[in-house]
Amino acid sequence: MTIYKAPLDDMRFALYDVLGAEAVLARLEGGEGHTRDLFDAVLDEAARFNEQVLAPLNATGDEEGCHFDKATRSVTTPKGFKEAYRQYAEGGWAGLTAHEKFGGQALPAVLGTLTKEMIDSANLAWGIYPLLSHGATSALEHHGDEWQQEVFLKPLVDGRWTGTMCLTEPQAGSDLGLLKTRAEPNADGSYRVTGTKIFISAGEHDFAENIIHLVLARLPGAPEGSRGISMLVVPKFKVNKDGSMGERNAVAAGAIEHKMGIRGSATCVMNFDDAEGWLVGPAHKGLVAMFTMMNAARLAVGIQGLGLAERALQNSLAYARDRLQMRALSGPKLPEKPADPLTAHPDVRRMLLTQRAFVEAGRVLATYAALQSDIEARDADPQARKTAGELLSFLIPIAKGLLTEAAQECTKEALQIFGGHGYIAEHGMEQFVRDARIITLYEGTTQIQALDLLGRKIMQLQGAGLKHFLGEISAFCQANQANDSVKAFVGPLAVAAKAWGDLTQAIAQSARSNPEELGAAAVDYLYFSGYVTLAYFWAKSVLAAGGSALSPDAKQAKRDTATFYFTRILPRIHVHKAAIEAGVATLPEVL
């Protein structure tokens, strides 16, 4: 069994020391009682639940998988999963950040982000079930009618019901304009929803008494393409407007997928056969509600990458310290032993430092993004809310794209440290590699994130979020250019940030003459952006470490890892810049 210990010290360092979140959250609306003592108590209890309840179910859930009964169209989750969810719901975790009027605790999004990282480290497959509920809750809170919020949100928030996002169809993956599911109006204001959706996470399971599906469909006379899409709420059991549950609705799982990873998560084919549903938001405006759900989910999937990388690091580091293999090139480190530990070898240290560099800066990135969502939602200053919203929108594709791709690298390096022992199931490393593979695909592939970043956030929105972020980096560099503790990082960071701005302008210029240049540059641009973003958070971390309560060894580890990042990972931006400058002409048609 793999180990997992919640990295509470580093979480608190990111939250309090690097980002100063305690003071920020206290000044926001409803933040009077949001004290450090409260946050720490929640984090401690989350650590206990994830270490003791969820983490032990990770390997067994992967081995057993979900069971589908064709006769009843029901799904049974792996042993222990249902009981773990009962404890999760009873502990109030389902409503941790939800609004109080729906029964939630209204705690900050940053706290939800850190607790979610623990869940994803402990048991990624299990964590997908509540993840989909959070997405459904967000969509209904922002776009649902008053009666829909009253009837559906309260049981979702207290965990009695769960939710899904039903978007993808066999012929329509990322291109939702191709979807065929239809919704015909009834006299009572409801709709009859008919169609098939695939890849529906948590579409059917045994956790809750009802499952609330948010479904994209076309109404009669809808415009062609994505502008003709509506969103409907379709419960597994019909729900009356007084909140009482009725008969079984005409929606059921047709099958569950047999997958490479996340085997404890039920990924379903869902069939809607004149199922009763209710329109969420205006007709033909379903994409607006969908993107509310999707943006929350995309940041959440980035956190999945962070969680997987953290657990892979913990296990590969423990193994490297204990495993004796060969002698160090400079001579024996443990002459009394038959061989030296793996950590004596430089390239093993490279693999460990790569993981640590991505994990610790990635944690600051995820927490920073969540903090922007808190500011956007509850700051008294409208301009502060606007700026935070633009920053969050800009950072979501970076966080989702880079952190999930980094998880591929981190889990691969962790397995590599184990050698052949990593390839067999006994040590658990191969599960992390398999589980990590999906996170670059669902909720928008890395390519979709890259196009969103470059095509929408930069080109369509004139780079509003980028301007804010580069301004913040510039202010940091100017304030600390003479600070000896971070001088070694400030200079290279300033150069990289300027290169980021220059590269953005160059791409925009080339795209004006040939729009295909955007597609050719997008993924490399996402990586370039992500590496500079993490460099900024590493520089901030080194500065914060100096005045923190970290031990001298921990402070030195922060500086050492930052030095590694700046000298061995940040230079990757030059390769991506060269690829971008090569242009679309180097991507001929493949015949």
Side-chain angles (χ1 to χ4, degrees):
M1 179 184 295
T2 57
I3 60 172
Y4 176 63
K5 181 73 174 175
L8 292 176
D9 288 345
D10 199 63
M11 288 180 166
R12 288 172 175 138
F13 172 74
L15 185 63
Y16 303 131
D17 296 302
V18 182
L19 300 177
E22 184 179 9
V24 174
L25 295 169
R27 68 173 172 80
L28 300 181
E29 180 185 347
E32 299 82 8
H34 290 170
T35 64
R36 183 166 182 161
D37 287 344
L38 173 62
F39 296 160
D40 286 346
V42 172
L43 292 174
D44 286 340
E45 183 58 24
R48 184 206 64 78
F49 174 74
N50 285 285
E51 291 168 2
Q52 298 179 18
V53 178
L54 290 188
L57 299 173
N58 188 52
T60 56
D62 177 70
E63 183 178 358
E64 180 184 352
C66 293
H67 308 278
F68 180 65
D69 187 318
K70 293 182 179 180
T72 61
R73 304 296 182 186
S74 62
V75 172
T76 303
T77 54
K79 183 179 180 181
F81 272 41
K82 182 179 180 180
E83 169 59 20
Y85 184 77
R86 183 191 66 78
Q87 294 183 44
Y88 173 86
E90 289 184 355
W93 297 108
L96 187 70
T97 60
H99 201 287
E100 288 173 316
K101 67 181 178 181
F102 304 123
Q105 299 175 54
L107 287 172
V110 287
L111 205 60
T113 290
L114 294 172
T115 57
K116 185 182 185 307
E117 183 202 322
M118 294 186 219
I119 290 173
D120 294 329
S121 286
N123 195 324
L124 176 63
W126 185 94
I128 291 171
Y129 294 92
L131 165 63
L132 273 298
S133 296
H134 290 310
T137 297
S138 181
L140 288 169
E141 183 175 342
H142 287 89
H143 303 285
D145 292 341
E146 185 176 347
W147 79 266
Q148 293 172 346
Q149 293 176 347
E150 181 68 23
V151 166
F152 294 110
L153 280 180
K154 290 183 177 179
L156 279 170
V157 167
D158 71 17
R160 288 186 291 114
W161 297 356
T162 62
T164 75
M165 298 163 54
C166 294
L167 316 179
T168 305
E169 298 180 6
Q171 80 291 342
S174 298
D175 188 353
L176 294 174
L178 300 176
L179 68 80
K180 297 179 179 178
T181 298
R182 65 185 188 274
E184 301 285 342
N186 294 318
D188 63 357
S190 66
Y191 288 80
R192 301 185 307 279
V193 180
T194 301
T196 296
K197 300 289 184 176
I198 64 170
F199 302 158
I200 307 306
S201 298
E204 177 61 36
H205 55 78
D206 55 1
F207 282 10
E209 62 188 41
N210 206 359
I211 301 174
I212 307 306
H213 304 286
L214 292 184
V215 185
L216 294 187
R218 294 188 183 281
L219 274 55
E224 293 295 324
S226 60
R227 294 186 179 183
I229 295 173
S230 299
M231 177 176 282
L232 298 100
V233 55
V234 183
K236 175 181 175 179
F237 287 92
K238 294 181 181 181
V239 180
N240 301 312
K241 288 192 174 183
D242 63 2
S244 61
M245 284 173 54
E247 63 184 1
R248 177 68 188 259
N249 209 350
V251 52
I256 59 173
E257 305 293 351
H258 301 281
K259 309 186 297 289
M260 176 180 178
I262 55 167
R263 293 173 177 170
S265 171
T267 305
C268 304
V269 175
M270 299 301 299
N271 295 318
F272 298 83
D273 300 302
D274 282 343
E276 181 180 270
W278 301 87
L279 189 65
V280 177
H284 317 316
K285 301 295 183 182
L287 285 189
V288 177
M290 187 274 289
F291 273 114
T292 297
M293 211 164 34
M294 185 70 79
N295 280 334
R298 285 177 172 176
L299 180 57
V301 174
I303 297 165
Q304 289 181 338
L306 173 61
L308 280 171
E310 168 65 38
R311 192 164 184 183
L313 169 61
Q314 289 189 21
N315 284 269
S316 59
L317 178 58
Y319 185 80
R321 285 170 172 166
D322 292 341
R323 178 73 168 174
L324 302 180
Q325 290 283 282
M326 301 180 289
R327 290 296 187 187
L329 296 175
S330 57
K333 302 299 181 185
L334 297 177
E336 74 282 6
K337 300 285 187 179
D340 288 328
L342 287 174
T343 51
H345 306 297
D347 200 60
V348 172
R349 297 198 296 274
R350 175 192 63 79
M351 291 187 280
L352 291 168
L353 284 164
T354 297
Q355 295 175 69
R356 178 176 285 171
F358 280 126
V359 165
E360 294 184 4
R363 180 170 294 122
V364 180
L365 167 58
T367 308
Y368 177 91
L371 187 60
Q372 302 314 305
S373 71
D374 284 317
I375 296 171
E376 182 186 23
R378 299 191 287 115
D379 200 293
D381 181 357
Q383 183 57 49
R385 293 198 302 271
K386 181 176 183 292
T387 298
E390 290 170 345
L391 270 169
L392 176 62
S393 177
F394 167 70
L395 288 171
I396 280 176
I398 295 175
K400 199 282 186 183
L402 187 73
L403 293 183
T404 58
E405 291 290 350
Q408 314 302 304
E409 184 171 352
C410 291
T411 55
K412 179 207 55 125
E413 298 289 29
L415 187 151
Q416 192 75 12
I417 289 168
F418 275 76
H421 292 286
Y423 191 71
I424 62 176
E426 178 183 358
H427 292 279
M429 293 299 103
E430 56 84 34
Q431 182 191 346
F432 297 149
V433 174
R434 288 187 289 103
D435 284 353
R437 196 63 195 90
I438 184 58
I439 60 179
T440 65
L441 304 176
Y442 59 21
E443 305 304 342
T445 65
T446 302
Q447 290 71 25
I448 294 294
Q449 306 307 313
L451 288 170
D452 178 45
L453 175 64
L454 188 53
R456 185 165 187 272
K457 307 302 168 54
I458 299 298
M459 298 296 290
Q460 291 183 23
L461 301 179
Q462 286 83 49
L466 174 63
K467 291 173 186 175
H468 295 316
F469 198 59
L470 286 178
E472 186 174 322
I473 295 174
S474 176
F476 173 85
C477 291
Q478 290 178 17
N480 293 283
Q481 59 186 345
N483 188 330
D484 290 338
S485 69
V486 289
K487 188 182 295 185
F489 307 106
V490 166
L493 175 60
V495 171
K498 183 180 184 304
W500 191 4
D502 293 344
L503 183 63
T504 304
Q505 291 182 10
I507 295 171
Q509 182 65 33
S510 64
R512 290 189 182 99
S513 58
N514 185 358
E516 291 289 336
E517 294 290 356
L518 287 180
V523 170
D524 285 291
Y525 183 81
L526 185 148
Y527 275 109
F528 189 107
S529 304
Y531 289 137
V532 180
T533 298
L534 293 192
Y536 170 52
F537 289 127
W538 263 119
K540 282 181 70 70
S541 294
V542 172
L543 180 64
S548 73
L550 292 177
S551 69
D553 285 348
K555 291 180 181 181
Q556 187 61 47
K558 287 292 181 186
R559 175 169 289 275
D560 289 344
T561 309
T563 300
F564 171 86
Y565 183 87
F566 270 78
T567 56
R568 285 182 170 259
I569 295 181
L570 182 59
R572 296 179 185 182
I573 64 174
H574 301 302
V575 175
H576 293 294
K577 181 174 182 288
I580 290 169
E581 291 174 341
V584 72
T586 59
L587 300 173
E589 290 189 23
V590 180
L591 302 178

